[in-house]
Amino acid sequence: MSGGARQRPREPLAVLREVWGYPAFRGLQAQVIEHVLAGGDGLVLMPTGGGKSLCYQVPALCLAGPTLVVSPLIALMQDQVLALRQLGVAAAALNSTLPPAEQRRIERSLLDGSLRLLYVAPERLVQPGFLELVARARPALFAIDEAHCVSQWGHDFRPDYLEVARLHARFPEVPRLALTATADRPTREDILDRLELRAGRLFLASFDRPNIRYRVEPKHEPRRRLLALLREEHAGQAAIVYRSTRAAVDQTAARLAEAGIRALPYHAGLPAEERARNQERFLREDGIVMVATIAFGMGIDKPDVRLVAHLDLPRSLESYYQETGRAGRDGLPATAWMAYGLDDVARLKALVAADDGREERRRWIDRQKLDALLGYCETTRCRREVLLGYFDETLAAPCGNCDTCLEPVAGYDGTVVAQKLLSAVYRTGQRFGAGHVIDVLRGEDQERMARLGHDRLSVFGIGRELDPAGWRSVVRQLVALDLLSVDVAGHGGLSLGPAARPVLRGERRVELRRDPALRPARGTRPGAARPALDLPTEALGRFEALRRWRLEEARRQGVPPYVIFHDATLAAIAASPPSGEAELARIPGLGASKLARYGAAILAVLGEPPGAPGTGRAAAGGWA
Ligand code: ADP
Ligand code: ZN
């Protein structure tokens, strides 16, 4: 179709610079936008933080008619609308929580051409009269955000997303852009079919998140490790800590709070008001640590989460990618840290092996998924290579920004060690836990061994080459490799696993990793909030002052701080403080509207002598 005829005389790059204050498009953005402005349909697959929203928001400002955006969650829509309004863009969200008068006002602004973007939930599309309203508004573009919600394969299937097809049936001439961060092929194919987008163009970005540093370590005093991470590397920064059960969430949140961390719990067992309040605080205050089950995260697009920690293994690499992806949406450095141990491995192995009526195919898939996850944990290769490889993407070289790249991990031929351990498990009768088997190998606890007759076994004392921690690492790896099984329902007794025989017979080699020694957690004094960027001390003071000003401004307006400015923008201002409005305008992220609204206030904050209070009194404390 000839979308060109309805195009406003506005050039995308000029819009990007004027409205957003960004100097250039990123990645595939320019191509997507050009395609949409030429009237084409498309599906955009970009990772979280990849810059999907601009792919339809910039065209929305270049086209003559309004853009209709379908989005699954009210919270997501509201964030987008608030952010657009900060940029001086006329945007609104229609949802059932609005008073009727407000709904009518929005409808009028849609019809009189003053509204550029209208966000709606999919159920709105089936309401009587809504499509008539859309017809009268003569839309120029349909954007379908979180398009994986249309797929049954995705994790967030929303049956009412299927109603999106009505839009195309009714308005075949209006171009459609679907967007998602869900990468896997079945979901992608499903979206193309269900939204009838086969004739459109597919924009597939790399799913790498280069700013996230992946770190995985064997569980050893995990709570202390986490505390050290929060105090020493991510003090005062927003973080999410994932746990697998509600009880574990409550416990970890309480422990962190006792240790002086501003931690809040979130899980489906909490009263709805408490959950909503905790989420609100996470979004609106700086530096809250959310301890949560996987019930938390969908629809949270807070850009400045600096750490995502897993204290229990996630369910699969897909979940891991998705959950860790909530870190560093703003592109600044962020950490994904995970601790895993024998307990986690044994628990997941037992879940997958359980005979709970799943079909054979489902069980096979579950086993594959668990093996991929454990393979990621136990690898000696670059984590990112393994992670992206799982999504069929190849890295040109090891990433240099994961634990195994930064501190290479040795692999070794563990065949003999494995044989010793398997023999010890076998000869002690396949019922003792790891602690006892390790004592047998190391020839410890003579008295007890004599009582059991284990001091007379041929395996007694044949494993003094490894210390107990070294042996525990081997046990964990052999469980991961199905050479050993753990009786999780009982007392954790070890028995030979399905793959043990060939190893015992010397027919199969076993490759193991030598877990690096963990550096002891250092001092435990809470530090000051740090920006993710390396800023010199002097700039740090300015950054903090700007952050205090932003928090107060956000409270005054009742919006989350990040819709006013992202950390990256404040850090850029702090790094080279501009002396006047003209210099300020050159900072990325300061478009015309924000410059007019906040320029003077920012310059005033910068002009204050260091150490002076911010522009208001409440600046120093949080608002907890
Ligand atoms: P997604 O929806 O894909 O998760 P967003 O659209 O929220 O990602 O963008 C992620 C971040 O990157 C936002 O802070 C956004 O302002 C920023 N961003 C997007 N495009 C650009 C660009 N061309 N230049 C600078 N920053 C950008
Ligand atoms: Zn790496």
Side-chain angles (χ1 to χ4, degrees), residues 287-448:
I288 296 279
V289 176
M290 191 64 111
V291 185
T293 59
I294 50 165
F296 182 74
M298 164 71 175
I300 300 294
D301 58 2
K302 186 173 166 64
D304 55 356
V305 176
R306 300 263 71 88
L307 166 70
V308 171
H310 282 88
L311 274 184
D312 302 298
L313 275 180
R315 291 197 262 192
S316 63
L317 268 187
E318 283 102 335
S319 322
Y320 174 77
Y321 178 83
Q322 185 127 29
E323 286 149 26
T324 54
R326 292 171 184 141
R329 275 172 172 260
D330 53 11
L332 298 181
T335 306
W337 176 86
M338 172 157 74
Y340 76 109
L342 175 60
D343 288 356
D344 297 271
V345 178
R347 180 174 52 85
L348 291 183
K349 282 280 179 191
L351 268 182
V352 165
D355 187 6
D356 53 3
R358 279 168 306 166
E359 323 164 13
E360 188 43 45
R361 191 180 142 66
R362 183 72 240 172
R363 298 169 65 132
W364 184 81
I365 293 176
D366 289 349
R367 269 199 307 276
Q368 302 296 307
K369 282 180 184 258
L370 178 56
D371 286 346
L373 176 68
L374 295 179
Y376 172 78
C377 293
E378 302 286 9
T379 191
T380 54
R381 291 168 52 205
C382 166
R383 301 267 181 215
R384 203 176 304 267
E385 275 180 353
V386 177
L387 187 58
L388 293 178
Y390 183 70
F391 297 108
D392 296 327
E393 202 179 317
T394 347
L395 269 188
C399 74
N401 192 26
C402 71
D403 58 345
T404 46
C405 278
L406 294 165
E407 289 183 71
V409 175
Y412 67 100
D413 181 346
T415 311
V416 172
V417 171
Q419 285 169 338
K420 287 181 180 179
L421 180 58
L422 295 176
S423 302
V425 167
Y426 184 72
R427 301 221 178 268
T428 51
Q430 309 199 57
R431 57 201 170 90
F432 289 92
H436 182 76
V437 175
I438 291 171
D439 280 349
V440 170
L441 282 164
R442 292 182 34 83
E444 310 266 9
D445 204 354
Q446 291 280 357
E447 217 173 287
R448 182 173 139 84

Side-chain angles (χ1 to χ4, degrees), residues 1-20 25 29-30 32-39 53-67 84 89-90 113 115-117 138-141 175:
M1 74 151 252
S2 58
R6 300 188 58 198
Q7 195 171 325
R8 289 177 149 193
R10 288 187 86 182
E11 215 262 312
L13 188 59
V15 167
L16 179 77
R17 289 180 175 161
E18 185 198 315
V19 179
W20 276 267
F25 287 112
Q29 283 174 335
V32 176
I33 291 166
E34 194 185 330
H35 179 74
V36 166
L37 291 179
S53 351
L54 260 64
C55 292
Y56 63 85
Q57 289 172 348
V58 170
L61 302 190
C62 298
L63 291 162
T67 291
L84 285 166
V89 174
L115 201 61
R116 304 303 326 147
L117 292 110
R138 307 196 62 228
L141 175 64

Side-chain angles (χ1 to χ4, degrees), residues 88-108:
V89 174
L94 262 187
N95 64 60
S96 43
T97 65
L98 292 176
E102 177 63 11
Q103 300 205 26
R104 274 194 301 279
R105 202 188 56 74
I106 293 174
E107 289 174 13
R108 269 200 309 278

Side-chain angles (χ1 to χ4, degrees), residues 323-600:
E323 286 149 26
T324 54
R326 292 171 184 141
R329 275 172 172 260
D330 53 11
L332 298 181
T335 306
W337 176 86
M338 172 157 74
Y340 76 109
L342 175 60
D343 288 356
D344 297 271
V345 178
R347 180 174 52 85
L348 291 183
K349 282 280 179 191
L351 268 182
V352 165
D355 187 6
D356 53 3
R358 279 168 306 166
E359 323 164 13
E360 188 43 45
R361 191 180 142 66
R362 183 72 240 172
R363 298 169 65 132
W364 184 81
I365 293 176
D366 289 349
R367 269 199 307 276
Q368 302 296 307
K369 282 180 184 258
L370 178 56
D371 286 346
L373 176 68
L374 295 179
Y376 172 78
C377 293
E378 302 286 9
T379 191
T380 54
R381 291 168 52 205
C382 166
R383 301 267 181 215
R384 203 176 304 267
E385 275 180 353
V386 177
L387 187 58
L388 293 178
Y390 183 70
F391 297 108
D392 296 327
E393 202 179 317
T394 347
L395 269 188
C399 74
N401 192 26
C402 71
D403 58 345
T404 46
C405 278
L406 294 165
E407 289 183 71
V409 175
Y412 67 100
D413 181 346
T415 311
V416 172
V417 171
Q419 285 169 338
K420 287 181 180 179
L421 180 58
L422 295 176
S423 302
V425 167
Y426 184 72
R427 301 221 178 268
T428 51
Q430 309 199 57
R431 57 201 170 90
F432 289 92
H436 182 76
V437 175
I438 291 171
D439 280 349
V440 170
L441 282 164
R442 292 182 34 83
E444 310 266 9
D445 204 354
Q446 291 280 357
E447 217 173 287
R448 182 173 139 84
M449 294 301 163
R451 244 185 0 248
L452 292 162
H454 287 175
D455 58 343
R456 292 191 304 276
L457 297 175
S458 59
V459 290
F460 185 73
I462 60 166
R464 296 201 168 92
E465 70 269 40
L466 290 180
D467 64 7
W471 277 115
R472 271 197 300 278
S473 159
V474 175
V475 173
R476 187 197 73 229
Q477 297 185 60
L478 296 200
V479 172
L481 291 169
D482 285 329
L483 297 176
L484 281 177
S485 303
V486 185
D487 172 18
V488 277
H491 297 292
L494 297 176
S495 55
L496 297 190
R501 299 273 160 212
V503 174
L504 277 170
R505 285 202 293 261
E507 294 161 9
R508 190 183 139 193
R509 215 179 90 97
V510 181
E511 181 73 18
L512 296 178
R513 91 196 291 268
R514 209 178 296 288
D515 292 340
L518 298 176
R519 258 182 266 102
R522 277 176 295 126
T524 45
R525 283 249 330 273
R530 260 183 273 177
L533 289 176
D534 272 333
L535 286 175
T537 317
E538 223 194 83
L540 213 56
R542 286 191 290 267
F543 178 77
E544 289 305 328
L546 288 166
R547 246 164 65 122
R548 283 194 298 272
W549 164 78
R550 178 181 65 180
L551 185 60
E552 202 179 322
E553 184 62 38
R555 290 172 57 190
R556 213 175 50 71
Q557 297 184 39
V559 299
Y562 52 84
V563 306
I564 297 190
F565 284 115
H566 280 186
D567 282 356
T569 305
L570 296 189
I573 298 172
S576 48
S579 58
E581 293 238 348
E583 277 182 36
L584 196 56
R586 282 200 283 274
I587 303 276
L590 262 156
S593 158
K594 288 191 178 176
L595 195 62
R597 281 173 91 151
Y598 306 121

